[in-house]
Amino acid sequence: MKEIRIHGRGGQGSVTAAELLAVAAFEDGKYSQAFPAFGVERRGAPIMAFTRINEQFIRLRSQIYEPDYVIVQDATLIETVDVASGAKPGGKILINTEFSPDTFDLDTEAEVITIDATRIALDIIGRPIVNTILLGAFAGATGEIRVESIQNAVAERFPGKVGEKNSQAVLEAYHRMGAGQ
Amino acid sequence: MSGKMTVVEGSYAVAHSVKVCRPNVISAYPITPQTHIVEDLSQFMADGEIPNCEYINVESEFSALSALIGASATGARTYSSTSSQGLELMHEVLFNASGMRLPIVMTIVNRAVSAPISIWNDHQDSISQRDTGWIQLYAENLQEMSDMTAQAFKVAEDKDVMLPAMVCMDGFILSHVFEPVILLEQELTDEFLPTYGPEHILDTSNPLSFGAFADPSAYTEFRYLQQKGMDVALGKIEKAAEDFKKIFGRYYGGLIEPYMAEDAEILLMAMGSVVGTIKDVVDKARSQGIKVGLIKVRTFRPFPVEAIHSAVSDAAIVVTLDKNISIGLNEGALFTEVKSCLYNSDISVPVMGFMLGHGGRDIPMSTIQMIIDKAAQAIKSGIKVESEYADLRGELL
């Protein structure tokens, strides 16, 4: 089983990202589960969402404490939230930032990877919404999921022009991770 | 047999099940975390996807259930959904629905009760309503919840039962999870669930009274007959599960579901979504040679006394896990009832109870493992503490 924890702020679409990841994994022929750690949500407050991916049906209902992968939508969260908590050695922590991985002094044996998803979002979508883009980067950096499945999940969730632009941005992020070239 | 899985949110799966059960009247008042169910049903109504149905908007949960009492008495199939304080506000009306023998089906999205305010999951809300004469079913996952909803209509509306039913799902943990589900197919549901046609209805051409005055010469018999309806429901719940299996090919046990229970020395018992986590821990413990098993209690009312007797008779210890507490007794309801149903029986097995997961406190595998360790210790040296919290944070006291 692969476990993914997404850190974001209220309004950044972390719960939607977890959901889309589950939909895409299912399209890849795997079982999946996505759920939020709900707080009393306010825009900007730190939140978490979780996705599990497995070959068999997933019965486990606890939150994720030892993630294989961590996705951080907003690097400013690192000042207040221990995003690396429990991350498995050999796992990956994917951070949305313009800075390089060595900028972040995380106490972890997981590999830190960065991508300037906000830049991609502004260039392609025209708004700084990065949740779908980070899923493209996730597909590229981990190989856990087919980028086409992410694109299909995104297009289904956001029909029309919005979906098309998001799908294009997903592919761009996937390529930035050195995948599919 | 039914087929295709899709990834949906728990609330949507439930709303879809309600839709294909062809309700005639829905009335509900939104409350977290039940909200998505009524939003999805409202959307179905707006899109004309639920024919011959009226959605009555109300100003409170009290009114929602009151409206359904009137509707159900005319022979309509009726549905509502609520959580926590909303269910507690219905308390008075719950007795009216069951006393009038009206088979209203209601999804309870389990949430802790205030004060202090908590929007998160535990079972205090529905457990607090256990003596209101409603059937209570608890689901482990979205597929079971989807399927149980249709089964609840069938059992509740059976002419020998005629009792309202609560179908309980854990708030957020199930209501807001996305996972693969086979949504109930309309055609198969029609085959499974007959049209509701009660023997007695409100009809101006043949006037009847429902819930009228009963003086001391007759009141006791009304209560007695409600209990008889519950007794019949035990068999009907099992039958509905069997009928469902024939048509849809899915089965979760009837009143209880044993898991690795046959040769288990330590037998855990629980209700709701935590059962899934426990199954994973049981598998892990079994791989280490620990003889542990699980009884999932699907039906809390009527309480499945005989099924529990036969399930626990060979265990060395029974351990209940409760997401509720009877304050003043310091016991969860499942613990109290399991002990109660064993007393005066010819089964002698020690029972210990753990309360956990209150107000949304997460239940990691390590908490279940700790419970198993304590049970193993109790087999060796006796039960030291009969009932306690498994996840109390002593540092906050």
Side-chain angles (χ1 to χ4, degrees):
Chain A
M1 181 147 67
K2 298 293 180 190
E3 296 186 308
I4 300 127
R5 189 172 67 210
I6 302 175
H7 292 274
R9 294 187 181 277
Q12 288 184 327
S14 302
V15 177
T16 304
E19 172 199 337
L20 292 172
L21 205 49
V23 170
F26 183 70
E27 190 181 310
D28 276 356
K30 292 174 180 163
Y31 283 95
S32 57
Q33 177 198 66
F35 59 103
F38 258 100
V40 181
E41 265 70 24
R42 288 148 302 172
R43 198 162 273 273
I47 71 149
M48 285 190 290
F50 309 97
T51 304
R52 290 192 169 98
I53 301 172
N54 199 21
E55 300 299 329
Q56 282 100 37
F57 181 78
I58 299 157
R59 302 182 298 195
L60 182 60
R61 298 285 169 189
S62 73
Q63 294 185 5
I64 291 172
Y65 297 96
E66 293 177 359
D68 297 276
Y69 304 108
V70 176
I71 298 174
V72 183
Q73 300 219 62
D74 182 338
T76 65
L77 279 169
I78 294 169
E79 294 161 25
T80 53
V81 178
D82 182 8
V83 298
S85 173
K88 283 188 186 144
K92 292 184 164 98
I93 300 173
L94 177 65
I95 304 172
N96 169 31
T97 175
E98 61 195 288
F99 301 112
S100 65
D102 54 19
T103 320
F104 301 95
D105 185 23
L106 295 178
D107 181 17
T108 183
E109 289 176 57
E111 182 191 355
V112 178
I113 301 167
T114 62
I115 181 166
D116 193 352
T118 305
R119 181 78 263 155
I120 298 172
L122 288 170
D123 287 349
I124 297 177
I125 305 172
R127 293 176 62 198
I129 297 173
V130 299
N131 59 345
T132 57
I133 297 168
L134 285 166
L135 298 184
F138 175 83
T142 69
E144 291 288 352
I145 213 153
R146 293 185 320 127
V147 72
E148 294 84 0
S149 300
I150 301 272
Q151 287 178 294
N152 290 344
V154 167
E156 199 176 313
R157 185 70 154 70
F158 307 105
K161 260 268 178 287
V162 178
E164 279 171 36
K165 283 187 175 172
N166 270 277
S167 180
Q168 191 191 334
V170 164
L171 194 61
E172 173 62 24
Y174 177 74
H175 288 149
R176 293 273 181 98
M177 292 289 109
Q181 303 287 29
Chain B
M1 294 284 169
S2 73
K4 193 171 168 288
M5 279 190 172
T6 100
V7 176
V8 296
E9 192 193 39
S11 299
Y12 182 87
V14 170
H16 176 88
S17 285
V18 171
K19 179 178 83 169
V20 296
C21 286
R22 302 189 185 277
N24 303 116
V25 178
I26 299 168
S27 186
Y29 189 77
I31 179 170
T32 300
Q34 155 264 37
T35 325
H36 290 184
I37 295 176
V38 293
E39 283 175 1
D40 288 336
L41 284 169
S42 304
Q43 189 68 53
F44 290 149
M45 286 297 296
D47 294 345
E49 288 184 36
I50 316 182
N52 305 315
C53 184
E54 190 164 340
Y55 191 117
I56 304 175
N57 280 310
V58 285
E59 91 304 339
S60 72
E61 289 84 358
F62 189 101
S63 293
L65 191 55
S66 299
L68 293 189
I69 283 180
S72 183
T74 69
R77 179 170 287 161
T78 51
Y79 173 82
S80 189
S81 177
T82 191
S83 296
S84 183
Q85 244 60 16
L87 180 58
E88 308 315 316
L89 185 58
M90 285 180 179
H91 180 68
E92 176 188 337
V93 198
L94 294 172
F95 283 103
N96 284 319
S98 61
M100 286 192 240
R101 310 298 294 271
L102 299 171
I104 298 161
V105 170
M106 180 154 65
T107 304
I108 306 302
V109 184
N110 286 116
R111 164 183 159 181
V113 291
S114 304
I117 290 179
S118 167
I119 59 166
W120 294 275
N121 167 248
D122 67 31
H123 291 167
Q124 198 70 49
D125 52 359
S126 54
I127 292 296
S128 300
Q129 306 302 335
R130 75 178 160 187
D131 296 335
T132 56
W134 285 58
I135 291 166
Q136 281 196 4
L137 311 172
Y138 288 80
E140 178 192 342
N141 55 46
L142 296 195
Q143 192 66 64
E144 186 174 27
M145 188 61 203
S146 287
D147 300 352
M148 209 179 237
T149 301
Q151 293 172 17
F153 278 108
K154 185 152 181 162
V155 173
E157 293 171 358
D158 187 291
K159 70 175 175 50
D160 296 323
V161 176
M162 293 300 284
L163 288 169
M166 296 180 192
V167 191
C168 304
M169 75 192 299
D170 286 326
F172 292 119
I173 300 169
L174 293 185
S175 62
H176 287 59
V177 74
F178 284 80
E179 71 186 23
V181 182
I182 301 171
L183 295 172
L184 295 186
E185 297 86 344
Q186 185 66 68
E187 206 175 299
L188 297 182
T189 309
D190 288 343
E191 193 184 328
F192 172 74
L193 183 64
T195 314
Y196 177 45
E199 285 178 278
H200 309 290
I201 57 167
L202 281 183
D203 178 1
T204 49
S205 58
N206 179 27
L208 294 172
S209 289
F210 281 66
F213 197 74
D215 70 19
S217 70
Y219 184 89
T220 302
E221 287 65 32
F222 277 89
R223 285 289 172 269
Y224 176 85
L225 289 170
Q226 276 176 266
Q227 178 56 45
K228 283 285 156 208
M230 281 284 183
D231 293 343
V232 172
L234 286 167
K236 298 288 183 178
I237 290 165
E238 288 186 313
K239 171 118 184 7
E242 294 285 347
D243 290 352
F244 191 92
K245 184 182 174 186
K246 277 181 208 139
I247 294 171
F248 291 89
R250 296 189 294 276
Y251 183 70
Y252 312 86
L255 301 164
I256 62 170
E257 181 200 36
Y259 182 77
M260 309 291 280
E262 221 162 73
D263 63 338
E265 290 170 2
I266 299 168
L267 197 53
L268 307 177
M269 291 181 75
M271 308 194 293
S273 66
V274 71
V275 163
T277 303
I278 297 172
K279 284 177 176 172
D280 273 12
V281 181
V282 165
D283 282 3
K284 208 171 143 196
R286 282 277 175 176
S287 72
Q288 295 159 358
I290 302 163
K291 283 193 170 174
V292 55
L294 164 73
I295 300 294
K296 170 167 77 177
V297 177
R298 302 179 75 232
T299 307
F300 185 69
R301 278 294 179 274
F303 197 68
V305 173
E306 282 178 23
I308 287 176
H309 280 175
S310 56
V312 305
S313 56
D314 295 333
I317 194 164
V318 172
V319 187
T320 56
L321 286 76
D322 270 292
K323 286 188 177 182
N324 67 90
I325 177 172
S326 175
I327 298 167
L329 184 61
N330 195 35
E331 293 185 1
L334 192 57
F335 179 56
T336 304
E337 312 233 346
V338 168
K339 275 197 306 177
S340 160
C341 85
L342 292 173
Y343 199 85
N344 287 342
S345 78
D346 52 8
I347 300 160
S348 178
V349 55
V351 187
M352 62 195 298
F354 288 92
M355 296 170 290
L356 78 178
H358 291 197
R361 180 155 297 171
D362 194 37
I363 305 175
M365 291 173 82
S366 55
T367 301
I368 309 293
Q369 187 58 55
M370 183 273 288
I371 288 171
I372 292 171
D373 293 346
K374 282 200 175 181
Q377 196 57 45
I379 290 175
K380 279 189 203 142
S381 50
I383 295 174
K384 298 274 189 285
V385 183
E386 198 188 11
S387 175
E388 62 179 320
Y389 273 101
D391 55 4
L392 194 67
R393 293 181 62 194
E395 75 274 20
L396 295 185
L397 300 174

